[in-house]
Amino acid sequence: MITESVVTEVTDVLSSEQRAIRIRCQQAALNDLYCQGYFKVPIHLAFGHEPVAVALALAVETGDQVVLSHRNLHYQLGFGASLSDVVREFLLQEDGLAGGRYGSMNLVNPNQGIVYTSSILGNNLSVAVGVALSKLARKSSACSWVVTGDGALEEGAFAESLLLSRTVNAPLVTIIEDNGWSLATSIEERRSPINLKDLVGAYGVHYLE
């Protein structure tokens, strides 16, 4: 088994690349425990997505709030959660990251700005718009960030969140993690291509790839 001493460093002295590698090693350690049957809750790993989590952790500013999907482990680790706190949470222990109440797919960490996660496809997009609207109401300069996957593009909530956030100019940034797959099915097998730049452009939303 990989021990925490192998994958624990002082975060603020690591480069972005080193932080991403550390998250990869931490995920490998968790997978090792999962394969040994330690956990009774489902856990979604994010191998290959670690650099996105590091980039977001570096981009957020004071007061910003982050809304995630069921695949949130790499962000929890990237935002500073310790491996031991995460393990205890997945074991549903009271001294876990969120008191052992959320497990993996709904894990939050408000102290680090992660205020909501959801296992329902596309559900977090609507919540993120609400978070952004609350900032408008309080005249806050902070931003709302939401992370979802390519599958959520097929949900009505995606278009609705774009429309509402653009209509009121809500401070919202949407990140789409697209690895080209849905479980064992490729995007090409599942649906016709979606030109995301053109789609969001129709709403007047700025797009970067």
Side-chain angles (χ1 to χ4, degrees):
M1 184 180 73
I2 303 173
T3 61
E4 183 169 5
S5 61
V6 176
V7 293
T8 302
E9 298 286 348
V10 180
T11 300
D12 58 7
V13 301
L14 297 178
S15 68
S16 297
E17 293 82 0
Q18 289 171 325
R19 290 175 67 177
I21 292 171
R22 186 184 71 163
I23 297 172
R24 171 68 64 88
C25 293
Q26 290 173 321
Q27 289 193 96
L30 281 165
N31 187 56
D32 190 10
L33 294 174
Y34 189 79
C35 291
Q36 294 180 56
Y38 275 75
F39 306 116
K40 296 181 180 179
V41 298
I43 296 172
H44 292 76
L45 301 174
F47 289 118
H49 293 253
E50 298 90 352
V52 187
V54 173
L56 179 56
L58 293 172
V60 296
E61 299 181 353
T62 302
D64 287 359
Q65 293 180 305
V66 180
V67 176
L68 301 172
S69 70
H70 66 286
R71 197 178 303 280
N72 61 75
L73 173 60
H74 49 320
Y75 292 100
Q76 305 290 351
L77 297 170
F79 273 64
S82 72
L83 180 60
S84 57
D85 282 347
V86 170
V87 168
R88 288 195 296 271
E89 179 65 29
F90 291 174
L91 290 172
L92 307 181
Q93 297 178 355
E94 292 184 357
D95 58 349
L97 183 62
R101 296 169 297 176
Y102 293 94
S104 171
M105 293 195 292
N106 298 100
L107 182 57
V108 295
N109 186 5
N111 291 333
Q112 294 295 330
I114 300 175
V115 296
Y116 183 84
T117 64
S118 175
S119 59
I120 303 172
L121 183 62
N123 164 270
N124 61 337
L125 295 166
S126 302
V127 173
V129 176
V131 173
L133 287 173
S134 73
K135 298 188 182 306
L136 282 179
R138 296 196 304 268
K139 294 180 169 50
S140 169
S141 61
C143 180
S144 171
W145 301 76
V146 59
V147 179
T148 190
D150 56 275
L153 302 182
E154 304 166 25
E155 296 293 310
F158 178 70
E160 292 164 0
S161 67
L162 284 178
L163 178 60
L164 178 54
S165 61
R166 183 66 184 89
T167 299
V168 299
N169 288 320
L172 174 67
V173 178
T174 303
I175 298 174
I176 309 293
E177 287 192 344
D178 182 359
N179 62 5
W181 290 88
S182 174
L183 297 178
T185 306
S186 70
I187 288 179
E188 290 77 12
E189 293 176 281
R190 193 176 75 244
R191 60 162 166 79
S192 62
I194 294 176
N195 188 319
L196 188 55
K197 183 177 181 179
D198 287 350
L199 177 61
V200 302
Y203 293 92
V205 174
H206 186 53
Y207 173 83
L208 291 173
E209 181 177 6

